[in-house]
Amino acid sequence: MKVSIVQTDIAWENSDKNLEELSEKLKFLKQETDLIVLPEMFTTGFSMNPEKLAENPNGITQQWMKNISKELHTAVLGSLIIKEKGNYYNRLICQLPDSKYYTYDKRHLFRMGEENDHYTAGKEKVIFKYKGWRIRPLICYDLRFPVWSRNRNDYDMLVYVANWPESRNHVWKNLLIARALENQVYVVGVNRIGTDGQQLSYSGDSMIIDPKGNLLSETVPYKQFIDTKELSLESLNAFRKKFPVANDADDFELKIY
């Protein structure tokens, strides 16, 4: 599968501008990739103003994702602010070219940024199948919680979308590698660049990592960058067969409150 990571700046709380600029940036990927991964809250930045910015399900941004997916013949994945049944969610959407889509609501809300005061946490683990791959999508702060992402031989690719500040970029980079190694999967991590409305700076450091912890992508920190890499499910399965660490994994029960 060909995966394209889109490391980009995000205009603060300006959905129209962000969608317009992304439409232009993604044009050249037509029939060149299978999956486009955008950052967390790619239409607004990591905003705590959901009352002002939230969209309804199947709103403008999801329709944009649907159109882009059909036009480019690829899946498109990223998160945005959604209002549903009186609650606000940091919701990841993966839109497929055939109009089918999957959603995941961020489980771990970043309390140091007061995200838990404005948004409702998701409770559902999501794994979807696409072109023979089993894909597990997660969002930013979820990266710090390995139990939530633990592979029980139920997925092949772990995808994180983020607005992860530059001040903690070493944590971002190290934990992405750890998740690839401990779960024996490919890990895709896409982070924004630039400065947001809270004056937080972002270095990007977006990356694709193989199951052995090797860096496959070539993004440049602080730079707008789209990088496409082809991942091999055959190689992944061969490595798991040769080095079956999952057979010795500890069992556990996850309780969600």
Side-chain angles (χ1 to χ4, degrees):
M1 178 186 290
K2 291 183 179 179
V3 178
S4 298
I5 54 178
V6 182
Q7 179 171 287
T8 184
D9 198 354
I10 301 174
W12 183 246
E13 298 184 347
N14 191 335
S15 178
D16 290 342
K17 182 176 181 181
N18 288 314
L19 293 182
E20 180 181 354
E21 291 185 352
L22 281 171
S23 295
E24 189 64 29
K25 290 174 184 176
L26 300 180
K27 280 182 179 179
F28 80 96
L29 289 173
K30 185 173 183 177
Q31 297 182 322
E32 294 295 327
T33 189
D34 300 301
L35 174 63
I36 295 172
V37 184
L38 305 172
E40 177 186 22
M41 292 193 183
F42 67 90
T43 61
T44 61
F46 189 60
S47 173
M48 296 302 107
N49 293 314
E51 300 84 357
K52 170 186 173 184
L53 302 170
E55 299 183 22
N56 293 321
N58 296 302
I60 293 174
T61 298
Q62 190 168 351
Q63 289 303 309
W64 175 87
M65 295 176 78
K66 184 176 181 180
N67 293 336
I68 288 290
S69 181
K70 284 185 176 180
E71 179 184 343
L72 303 183
H73 306 286
T74 181
V76 181
L77 183 154
S79 92
L80 61 147
I81 303 170
I82 293 291
K83 181 179 182 179
E84 186 172 35
K85 297 180 180 179
N87 295 317
Y88 298 104
Y89 297 94
N90 184 347
R91 178 168 294 174
L92 182 147
I93 298 173
C94 185
Q95 179 67 55
L96 306 187
D98 63 1
S99 295
K100 189 173 184 178
Y101 65 92
Y102 300 91
T103 66
Y104 163 73
D105 294 329
K106 188 176 183 180
R107 167 66 181 157
H108 299 93
L109 302 178
F110 189 57
R111 68 177 58 253
M112 286 70 82
E114 301 181 347
E115 186 180 15
N116 59 310
D117 293 331
H118 299 275
Y119 296 87
T120 298
K123 295 183 178 181
E124 299 295 329
K125 173 182 175 180
V126 174
I127 297 171
F128 64 89
K129 292 183 179 180
Y130 175 56
K131 294 200 169 185
W133 289 72
R134 300 169 299 171
I135 301 174
R136 177 85 191 270
L138 294 171
I139 303 174
C140 203
Y141 192 43
D142 285 332
L143 178 59
R144 286 184 177 266
F145 303 93
V147 174
W148 183 237
S149 65
R150 185 63 176 166
N151 188 8
R152 290 182 162 181
N153 193 30
D154 52 5
Y155 70 87
D156 309 303
M157 184 192 306
L158 193 55
V159 179
Y160 289 96
V161 301
N163 275 210
W164 196 290
E166 172 193 22
S167 59
R168 294 185 291 278
N169 63 359
H170 65 290
V171 179
W172 163 257
K173 291 183 284 188
N174 288 329
L175 288 183
L176 287 174
I177 294 171
R179 297 295 164 265
L181 292 171
E182 69 194 10
N183 292 302
Q184 277 195 312
V185 295
Y186 287 97
V187 170
V188 177
V190 176
N191 189 29
R192 66 163 294 177
I193 59 168
T195 303
D196 70 12
Q198 306 299 324
Q199 300 308 304
L200 290 173
S201 177
Y202 300 85
S203 56
D205 296 295
S206 302
M207 58 183 71
I208 299 174
I209 303 159
D210 77 8
K212 298 180 181 179
N214 298 311
L215 182 64
L216 303 181
S217 52
E218 302 172 5
T219 56
V220 178
Y222 307 100
K223 300 291 185 181
Q224 303 262 8
F225 210 101
I226 298 177
D227 193 19
T228 301
K229 290 291 180 283
E230 186 165 7
L231 312 185
S232 171
L233 188 57
E234 182 180 358
S235 295
L236 171 61
N237 289 330
F239 174 52
R240 286 172 170 172
K241 184 176 181 180
K242 182 179 180 180
F243 199 69
V245 295
N247 292 346
D248 299 310
D250 300 306
D251 196 14
F252 64 91
E253 180 180 354
L254 178 63
K255 294 183 179 180
I256 302 175
Y257 301 95

